[in-house]
Amino acid sequence: MTQRVNQLVYLFLMLLVALAPLPLGSNREWSWALCAFVAGVLAAVWLLTNLRSPATLNARLPRYSPVACLLVCAWIILQRADWTPTAWHHPLWGMAAEALSLDLHGRVTLSTEDSGIALMRLLAYALVFFLAMQLGRERKRAQAIFGWLTVAGLVYAIFGLFVYWSGYHPTWLFGEKLLPHDVRATFINRNHYATWQGLTMICAMAWFYHSMARPEVKPYSVPQDREAQVEAFIIRAWKPLIVLLLMVTARVLSHSRGGFASALLGTFVLFYLLDRSGFRKRTGRRVAATAVLVVAAVAFFLTSEALLDRINRTDISTEERLAVYTNINQAVQDNPVLGFGYGTFANSYRLYDPLESGVHYDRAHNTWLENVFELGLPAALALFLALGGLALTCLQGVRRRHRDWVYPATGVAASTLVGIHALVDFSLQIPAVALLYAVIMGVAVAQSNSSVNT
C-alpha cells in the first residue's frame, strides 16, 4: 500500500513540475495557488502514509539548513504581526493612520497580504523539495525523475522553436500581447525561460552522461575493436544528442545574456565535477562529455548571431539596473535589520524610486539584493545559509559517493546556474523555475548519501 501511494505521489509531483511552465510559468495568482495547493496535498498524503514507519524518512540534511529555513519563516510571520514592538513598525503605518484618521495597527511589513502570499509560495517550494528528497532516495526513481525533466525540457524546447521559426503567435497563451521575436516557449519573459531551460538542459546532460558512462553488460560479450566501439557509441548516443541539440538551440535563441552566461557556468561546473569524480574508467565518461560539448558548440555556432550581437551592444554604464541597485543599497542602509516585508518589493521600493526613467521596477532584477531589502540582513543571511547548506551537501556528496555522484554534481551545477542568474534577474522568483529547482535539489541531496535503499 505504501509503495503504491508513493508511486502516485511521485507521478503527480512530476506532472506538477512538468505542467507548471504551461500557464505562463505559473506566474499568475490562480496558477501558483493551484501549484501550492497540489504541493500541500501531495506532502500531506506522503506524510500520512509514511510517518508510521520513521525509518522511511530521509532527514540527511545539515541541521542548520532546516533550522535556518524555519527561522526565516518565523521572521516573516513576525513581520506580519501587529503585536510586535512599536519601534519595529514602519513609520508609514503611523502616517497613514494620522492621514486617514483611522486606528491602524502598525507592522514591520508594508503589506501583510503580499508577505502572506510570498510565504505561501516559499512553503510550497519547500514541500516540493521535501517530497523530491524523500522520493529520490531510490536510484531508479532518481534516474526516472531526471528522465521526466529531460522530456519536459525537450517538449517545451520543440514548442518554443516551432513558434520561433514558424511565426505562429499562440493567442491562446499570450492573448493579443505581441512579444519580441525570441524563443520563450510558454513564458512571458525570455530570461525566465532561459533559466528553466538551462536547468532542464543540465539535467539532460547529467542523464545522458550517466546513461552513456554505465557500461552495457552482455553475456558472452566479445571484445570490440575501436571501430565497433565507435559504432556502438553512435547507436546509443544519437537520440540523446539530438535532444541536447534541440534544447541548446532553444536556449541560445532565447537571446538571454544572463541566461547564457549562467548556463555556461553551470555546464562547466557540472562537467568539472563529473570529471574529477570519475577518476576510474575516465575514457568512456570523457567521450560522453566531449560528445555533449561538441553538440552544444554546434548549436551555439549555428544560432548565436543575435545573442552575440546583444552581448556586443551591452553597455553596463547605461543599465538602469545599476541605479536600482544603488537605491536598494540606500534602503538597506536605512533599514538593515527589520526589512520592509517579505514579498513587498513592488510597493516598498516606491519609497526609494525617483521615477526619473518613468519605469517602475516591481522586481529588483537581483534576487539576492531583493531578499535583503525585504527580509533584512539577518533573515536574508539565514535564507542564504539554508540554500547554501543544500549546495554544500551536494558538493560533499560528489566527493564521498563511489557511484551516482552525477546527481549531487547536478545539484551543485543547478545552484551555480540559478545563483549566478539571480545576480541580474529574478527567474528564481517565478514558480515554474523555483519548483524545478526544488525538485532537482531534492533528488541531488537525497543522492548525496549512500543508502541501503538506493
Side-chain angles (χ1 to χ4, degrees):
M1 179 65 180
T2 300
Q3 288 298 326
R4 291 182 180 179
V5 173
N6 287 346
Q7 185 66 15
L8 285 175
V9 171
Y10 155 71
L11 290 175
F12 278 103
L13 180 64
M14 290 299 96
L15 287 174
L16 171 64
V17 176
L19 296 178
L22 186 57
L24 305 177
S26 291
N27 195 32
R28 295 296 184 268
E29 184 175 355
W30 71 267
S31 53
W32 70 253
L34 180 60
C35 289
F37 174 77
V38 173
V41 170
L42 293 178
V45 170
W46 188 92
L47 288 170
L48 291 174
T49 306
N50 290 269
L51 283 189
R52 297 175 183 176
S53 52
T56 62
L57 182 64
N58 181 8
R60 297 181 179 182
L61 277 174
R63 292 182 179 179
Y64 57 83
S65 280
V67 170
C69 184
L70 290 174
L71 288 175
V72 171
C73 293
W75 173 243
I76 296 172
I77 293 173
L78 280 177
Q79 284 185 317
R80 301 180 72 245
D82 60 1
W83 44 264
T84 50
T86 305
W88 291 13
H89 300 167
H90 196 279
L92 275 183
W93 286 103
M95 296 169 62
E98 182 178 352
L100 299 174
S101 299
L102 296 174
D103 183 18
L104 297 178
H105 297 284
R107 293 172 175 83
V108 174
T109 180
L110 288 176
S111 173
T112 55
E113 181 181 359
D114 290 340
S115 294
I117 290 174
L119 176 60
M120 185 185 303
R121 289 167 65 158
L122 180 63
L123 291 174
Y125 306 148
L127 289 177
V128 169
F129 165 80
F130 173 80
L131 288 173
M133 185 176 66
Q134 305 305 321
L135 298 170
R137 296 175 69 187
E138 299 180 14
R139 179 195 300 175
K140 291 183 179 179
R141 187 172 285 160
Q143 187 175 10
I145 290 175
F146 271 42
W148 269 86
L149 300 182
T150 299
V151 172
L154 174 63
V155 170
Y156 286 101
I158 291 175
F159 175 74
L161 290 173
F162 170 75
V163 172
Y164 180 81
W165 280 325
S166 68
Y168 165 68
H169 181 74
T171 54
W172 56 271
L173 182 63
F174 300 119
E176 300 300 325
K177 184 176 183 178
L178 295 178
L179 301 172
H181 193 53
D182 308 298
V183 173
R184 63 189 69 231
T186 58
F187 291 78
I188 286 288
N189 191 299
R190 62 186 172 193
N191 296 307
H192 305 160
Y193 169 70
T195 304
W196 188 91
Q197 186 68 75
L199 288 172
T200 60
M201 187 178 70
I202 285 180
C203 290
M205 291 179 179
W207 179 80
F208 171 72
Y209 178 93
H210 189 261
S211 301
M212 297 303 300
R214 186 175 63 251
E216 289 186 308
V217 179
K218 297 181 178 180
Y220 311 109
S221 60
V222 179
Q224 297 177 321
D225 57 22
R226 178 164 296 183
E227 291 183 1
Q229 291 177 354
V230 171
E231 181 180 356
F233 177 83
I234 293 175
I235 292 175
R236 292 178 61 192
W238 73 270
K239 290 181 181 179
L241 289 177
I242 289 178
V243 169
L244 281 171
L245 179 66
L246 291 172
M247 294 174 73
V248 174
T249 300
R251 172 63 205 76
V252 173
L253 289 177
S254 69
H255 304 145
S256 171
R257 296 164 296 180
F260 167 73
S262 58
L264 185 64
L265 288 173
T267 301
F268 172 79
V269 169
L270 175 66
F271 283 107
Y272 173 78
L273 293 177
L274 292 178
D275 186 68
R276 291 280 295 178
S277 297
F279 55 89
R280 295 179 182 177
K281 300 180 180 179
R282 279 186 173 179
T283 302
R285 302 180 188 279
R286 285 182 171 172
V287 168
T290 301
V292 169
L293 294 176
V294 168
V295 168
V298 170
F300 177 77
F301 176 76
L302 295 176
T303 59
S304 62
E305 182 178 355
L307 173 62
L308 292 176
D309 181 63
R310 286 198 73 218
I311 294 175
N312 290 332
R313 288 187 288 105
T314 299
D315 185 357
I316 298 179
S317 62
T318 62
E319 289 282 340
E320 289 187 357
R321 299 180 190 182
L322 295 181
V324 175
Y325 300 161
T326 301
N327 294 337
I328 294 174
N329 286 328
Q330 180 60 52
V332 171
Q333 292 177 19
D334 293 343
N335 191 7
V337 177
L338 301 175
F340 292 84
Y342 189 54
T344 67
F345 181 86
N347 294 316
S348 301
Y349 179 66
R350 296 179 186 274
L351 299 173
Y352 292 87
D353 187 4
L355 295 176
E356 293 179 355
S357 64
V359 177
H360 172 65
Y361 282 79
D362 58 357
R363 299 289 185 181
H365 290 268
N366 184 318
T367 304
W368 303 94
L369 275 179
E370 186 168 329
N371 284 331
V372 175
F373 175 92
E374 294 178 341
L375 291 170
L377 189 57
L381 290 177
L383 179 61
F384 302 156
L385 178 64
L387 295 174
L390 303 183
L392 181 59
T393 299
C394 292
L395 184 59
Q396 293 171 343
V398 175
R399 295 175 177 175
R400 62 171 164 243
R401 288 301 305 265
H402 297 293
R403 63 180 183 181
D404 296 333
W405 57 77
V406 65
Y407 301 110
T410 304
V412 178
S415 297
T416 302
L417 189 155
V418 299
I420 295 298
H421 203 194
L423 291 171
V424 294
D425 208 85
F426 55 96
S427 296
L428 199 54
Q429 296 167 257
I430 303 302
V433 178
L435 290 171
L436 175 60
Y437 177 63
V439 167
I440 294 173
M441 293 305 295
V443 175
V445 170
Q447 289 293 321
S448 294
N449 296 278
S450 59
S451 172
V452 294
N453 295 324
T454 57

